[in-house]
Amino acid sequence: PRPDVIVALTDGQTPWPSARPPCRTVVALFPRQQPSYEDSLNYRPNLPPDWALTVTVAG
């Protein structure tokens, strides 16, 4: 059987698929220690895709 929902637990450094899965997707986004390269003005984090429901988990 196919899943009804996918739950991804991640710190955000996830290679998200380019296409929306055929079921609901929930992303639990955990905080992470910030490496020095993330202090750069040019750094852009990998945010979950718009088609996923994102829940930020406090650290």
Side-chain angles (χ1 to χ4, degrees), residues 6-33:
I6 295 171
V7 178
L9 308 175
T10 180
D11 64 358
Q13 298 302 304
T14 300
W16 303 107
S18 58
R20 176 184 216 145
C23 61
R24 293 178 294 165
T25 304
V26 178
V27 175
L29 190 58
F30 288 87
R32 60 192 222 106
Q33 288 187 326

Side-chain angles (χ1 to χ4, degrees), residues 21-44:
C23 61
R24 293 178 294 165
T25 304
V26 178
V27 175
L29 190 58
F30 288 87
R32 60 192 222 106
Q33 288 187 326
Q34 194 169 6
S36 60
Y37 69 84
E38 290 183 9
D39 291 332
S40 167
L41 295 176
N42 295 324
Y43 174 75
R44 298 292 180 264

